[in-house]
Amino acid sequence: MQIPGHIDPVTTGTVPLRGGNRIDLVGLSRDAIGGVLVEAGMDAKAAKLRAKQIWHWIYHRGVTDFEAMTDIAKAMRPWLTDRFVIGRPTVREAQVSSDGTRKWLLAAADGQEYEMVFIPDADRGTLCVSSQVGCTLNCRFCHTGTMRLVRNLGAGEIVGQVLLARDALGEWPKGTMAGFGADPEDDDADDDAAGHYTADGRMLTNIVMMGMGEPLYNFDEVKGALKIVMDGDGLALSKRRITLSTSGVVPMMARAGEEIGVNLAVSLHAVTKEIRDEIVPLNRKYGIEELLQACADYPGANNARRITFEYVMLKDKNDRDEDARELVRLIKHYNLPAKVNLIPFNPWPGAPYECSTPERVRAFSNLIFKAGISAPIRTPRGRDIMAACGQLKSAATKPTRAELDRIAEEKQAALG
Ligand code: SAH
Ligand code: SF4
């Protein structure tokens, strides 16, 4: 999509279909599923009912085979199988960190690769989801930003990550569906479609749009995917358990709040124009004041639902006491319901920065806490498998400094 007010640097073709000539239903809204059924020749009334049933099987039960849809007439299932698929991304590689973090390298139907990460904690399990293959932006501390090729992920490819995580964690409900009985129009449907349904305690409780890519540069597809993830008759994750992180695409922030309504995280990382221009080049387009004003205007933010400011700790770059004080001043000046997340810099091959010392990070955190603003230090997770924040990159190569500079220049030029 074209982002109002500037030239969208993302140029992508249409997302290829996973099922060849067959249409992949993952990522379509309920109405859109009805629409493709009608296009395939089903009458509108039947299509509406079937779409509801199919939706439930895909998103509530994790089914990928029409033959397993026991409340749909046996005779109808091959008709569906001939025309449609319920796809999953291909898993190229699955790794597990010594701390339990898991990372999957996934491939789309066109071979493009992207990553997702699952971070288990005692009280929650967070899936870190990618929105693009690579990123058109080029934050200097971020590995993903060094990828040259970029394509938006489709809604199906985004929601597909959540479905795949549920598969891998064995988290689809066991048993059959209570209250979702056999097809009333079909004598032939299996009778065991009713009863014995149980929803297990789940590991996957939270989703963060913090994988590869800038989600607000792929607004429509991210919105479509998150609407599906939040739908009550399916994955049913509450908007309070979903966080979208942006590097500061100001023109899209209000729409994100109004139309998606999830928690907002903002990759601030610096409090002066000079430093933020350098490390988050998008700042040259949308400056700190504009960004913080957009945060102040973010619909739905209040003290119970605060905006998270992410702040990567870079040695001798953005980690001085005066940076912490300025951060506090800015948050107070804009009267923001905010918390700060301090992220120790995660290294990657060829990265031009080092992480601040643990003492420096603690001192920085303390200064912010003393001003009455929460500023926990994020424990790095999955560093041994390159799964920590900012380490994702689908092809692990070590570019030379000159190559990194060239990529940065190209992306800056594309931004205009
Ligand atoms: N593109 C979005 C979503 C990515 S979220 C955004 O930038 O907000 C990933 C978070 O990790 C962002 O806050 C990002 O700035 C941060 N990050 C990137 N590289 C990092 C690194 N090497 N170490 C620590 N954090 C990093
Ligand atoms: Fe893109 Fe976010 Fe990485 Fe910046 S930090 S390059 S916006 S993925």
Side-chain angles (χ1 to χ4, degrees):
M1 72 177 281
Q2 197 78 14
I3 294 169
H6 82 289
I7 297 161
D8 182 351
V10 183
T11 48
T12 57
T14 50
V15 178
L17 299 176
R18 179 162 294 275
N21 292 331
R22 294 180 296 167
I23 295 172
D24 191 343
L25 299 182
V26 175
L28 300 185
S29 68
R30 212 186 265 94
D31 284 351
I33 293 177
V36 294
L37 292 175
V38 169
E39 265 169 45
M42 199 182 272
D43 81 75
K45 193 160 163 269
K48 201 163 179 220
L49 170 69
R50 297 298 174 210
K52 190 165 183 282
Q53 290 171 310
I54 292 170
W55 175 279
H56 193 90
W57 283 107
I58 298 177
Y59 295 113
H60 201 77
R61 301 296 302 273
V63 157
T64 54
D65 183 356
F66 294 102
E67 283 303 328
M69 300 186 177
T70 47
D71 57 352
I72 291 178
K74 276 204 177 101
M76 162 131 305
R77 298 176 205 162
W79 185 87
L80 290 167
T81 307
D82 285 346
R83 290 161 181 80
F84 305 105
V85 287
I86 300 163
R88 291 286 190 272
T90 304
V91 177
R92 281 271 155 83
E93 202 180 347
Q95 289 173 280
V96 184
S97 158
S98 55
D99 68 17
T101 300
R102 305 191 196 187
K103 182 172 92 169
W104 289 264
L105 173 63
L106 306 174
D110 62 354
Q112 292 273 15
E113 294 179 332
Y114 51 105
E115 296 187 310
M116 72 171 191
V117 177
F118 179 70
I119 308 138
D121 275 303
D123 60 339
R124 64 168 67 182
T126 306
L127 188 70
C128 181
V129 171
S130 291
S131 56
Q132 298 182 305
V133 173
C135 186
T136 52
L137 298 171
N138 184 246
C139 303
R140 298 293 280 170
F141 47 81
C142 176
H143 205 197
T144 308
T146 68
M147 286 176 68
R148 189 175 255 132
L149 284 177
V150 180
R151 117 152 141 68
N152 280 336
L153 291 175
E157 293 168 328
I158 297 169
V159 83
Q161 296 171 59
V162 184
L163 300 178
L164 192 72
R166 279 259 161 99
D167 294 349
L169 298 168
E171 292 218 292
W172 295 107
K174 311 262 186 319
T176 54
M177 296 184 292
F180 206 81
D183 185 345
E185 291 173 15
D186 176 25
D187 318 329
D188 192 18
D190 301 350
D191 288 335
D192 68 356
H196 317 302
Y197 172 84
T198 58
D200 297 339
R202 294 222 163 103
M203 285 169 77
L204 198 173
T205 59
N206 291 58
I207 288 180
V208 292
M209 295 304 301
M210 295 190 185
M212 296 166 77
E214 167 49 58
L216 295 189
Y217 270 167
N218 187 16
F219 186 85
D220 290 344
E221 302 296 322
V222 167
K223 174 181 162 184
L226 291 181
K227 289 275 179 211
I228 292 173
V229 169
M230 292 187 281
D231 188 283
D233 183 28
L235 295 162
L237 245 84
S238 145
K239 64 180 182 179
R240 288 164 211 285
R241 291 190 172 273
I242 302 173
T243 302
L244 183 149
S245 176
T246 179
S247 55
V249 184
V250 168
M252 300 307 289
M253 285 170 60
R255 277 190 68 196
E258 280 152 19
E259 297 176 30
I260 311 177
V262 296
N263 301 322
L264 181 70
V266 172
S267 295
L268 190 62
H269 303 314
V271 289
T272 64
K273 174 166 169 52
E274 190 200 345
I275 306 290
R276 197 164 190 269
D277 275 357
E278 176 192 329
I279 68 177
V280 183
L282 186 64
N283 195 64
R284 298 176 205 167
K285 201 162 194 89
Y286 310 116
I288 293 174
E289 288 75 21
E290 223 182 316
L291 175 58
L292 294 180
Q293 189 55 50
C295 291
D297 299 339
Y298 187 74
N302 53 47
N303 277 327
R305 286 186 78 201
R306 286 178 287 167
I307 294 172
T308 303
F309 287 107
E310 294 158 287
Y311 200 99
V312 63
M313 298 300 296
L314 304 173
K315 188 175 184 184
D316 300 330
K317 185 50 75 180
N318 62 356
D319 63 352
R320 298 162 307 172
D321 283 355
E322 60 191 274
D323 295 313
R325 287 195 203 97
E326 177 62 5
L327 180 55
V328 167
R329 189 192 70 77
L330 285 170
I331 289 174
K332 297 205 160 160
H333 178 75
Y334 286 88
N335 201 15
L336 295 169
K339 57 189 172 195
V340 177
N341 221 322
L342 299 176
I343 317 175
F345 169 67
N346 294 307
W348 40 271
Y353 301 109
E354 276 179 69
C355 185
S356 311
T357 64
E359 298 73 39
R360 186 86 291 273
V361 180
R362 255 195 312 278
F364 199 93
S365 167
N366 286 342
L367 270 173
I368 303 170
F369 265 116
K370 273 190 199 130
I373 298 165
S374 168
I377 302 161
R378 193 182 288 175
T379 312
R381 298 290 302 269
R383 269 186 179 173
D384 55 342
I385 55 166
M386 292 289 285
C389 300
Q391 291 186 314
L392 302 185
K393 179 176 178 186
S394 25
T397 50
K398 185 176 174 184
T400 61
R401 176 111 313 270
E403 277 164 340
L404 287 173
D405 287 344
R406 209 165 39 243
I407 292 167
E409 267 167 39
E410 280 173 18
K411 291 192 172 183
Q412 197 54 44
L415 256 182

